[in-house]
Amino acid sequence: MSRTATTAWEIDALQAALQPLAPGLRVEWVASTGSTNTDLLERMRMGDARPVLRVAEDQRSGRGRLGRNWVSAPGASLTFSLGLPYEPRQWSGLSLAIGAVLADAIEPRPQRLQLKWPNDLWLSDGRKLAGILVETATDTTGQRCLVVGIGLNLRPPPEQGLRTPAACLQDIDPRLDGPAALERIAVPLVRTLLGFAEAGFAPFRARFAQRDYLQGLAVTLGTGGQGTARGVDDDGALRVQTAQGVQRITSSEVSVRPAAHAG
Ligand code: BTN
C-alpha cells in the first residue's frame, strides 16, 4: 500500500464524516482486488455484516449489471462498494435514488449529467460516466444486507468491447480526481440509503425526472418491444408508451436502450 495513495484518499477523514450517520462504519482502501462488491458480499455471507466502505485503486474482475463486466485499468476509475445491514420498507427504485444523489454530488447541472434508467450516469451526449450495481446478501443470522457498488470513469477506458461509449470525470470537471469525487459522494450516498429505507423512492422521483435521459426518447426493450419512454412512477418503474398502451418496466433485469443505441 503506498503512503501517498492512502493519504490522498483521506480515509480517516472520510470515516469520521460517515460514522455519525452509520455508527461503526469503517473505510477501507486496497491497492487491488477482484471486485469490491464480491468482497463485501462474501464477508456478509460469512457473518460479518458491519457497515463498511471499501475502495480499490485497481479492480481486476469488476462486475456490472446483467452479468456484464466493469472494465478499468489501475487508477482509471473510482471503484468502491458500500455495505451495511439494510431492511428498507420497499426496495424498488433504490438504484434510481442512488443515481440521482450521485449525479447531484458530481454535477449540479441536470442538463449536463443525466440518469439512464435504471442505474447509469450518462452525459447528455449519450456517453456513460458511471454505473451502479445494487446487490443483497443475508448474513449467518438472517440479517438482510445491502452492497452498493459504484464505478465511475476517471480517465477514458479502452473503447474495446464497450456497449456504450464512455465519458470520464475530466469531461465534467478537470479538477476532480478519485479521492475528491469519493469525498463528495460518500456522505450523500449514506444519507440517501437512510432516507430511502424509511420513505422509498417517491421523495427522489422529482430529482430523477430532472435528469431522466430516456424521457421522450424512442426505446428498445430487451424483450424486443419498442416504445417511447414516459418517465418513472413512484416506485421507480419505467413507463413506456407502446402500441399496446403504457407498459411499466419494473424488472431491473430488463435492458432498455435508446433506439439510437440499440444493436
Ligand atoms: C454497471 O454499469 O452495470 C454497474 C457497474 C458497477 C461497477 C462497480 S465498481 C465497484 C463495484 N464492484 C464491482 O465489481 N462492481 C461495482
Side-chain angles (χ1 to χ4, degrees), residues 7 19 24 26 32 48 51 60 75-76 80 95 108 127 146 174 178 220 236 262:
T7 306
Q19 283 204 344
R26 288 163 303 130
S32 180
D48 182 356
R60 300 181 308 276
F80 73 95
S95 70
R127 288 181 298 145
L146 169 72
T220 304

Side-chain angles (χ1 to χ4, degrees), residues 217-259:
L217 291 187
V219 292
T220 304
L221 311 180
T223 51
Q226 295 213 327
T228 304
R230 294 286 183 226
V232 297
D233 280 338
D234 262 359
D235 61 355
L238 179 69
R239 296 171 63 82
V240 178
Q241 179 78 54
T242 69
Q244 291 76 41
V246 173
Q247 214 178 314
R248 276 171 38 87
I249 315 289
T250 51
S251 167
S252 58
E253 296 308 308
V254 173
S255 147
V256 177
R257 311 273 298 163

Side-chain angles (χ1 to χ4, degrees), residues 35-37 59 61-65 70 79-81 119-120 128 131-133 149-151:
S35 155
T36 52
N37 261 44
Q59 193 181 238
S61 319
R63 296 185 293 106
R65 196 173 148 256
W70 175 269
T79 49
F80 73 95
S81 300
N119 67 335
D120 282 356
K128 174 168 171 169
I132 300 161
L133 180 63
I150 293 173

Side-chain angles (χ1 to χ4, degrees), residues 38 45 51 72 121 128 162 176 180 209 223:
T38 303
R45 289 179 188 131
S72 177
L121 273 66
K128 174 168 171 169
L162 288 180
L176 270 184
T223 51

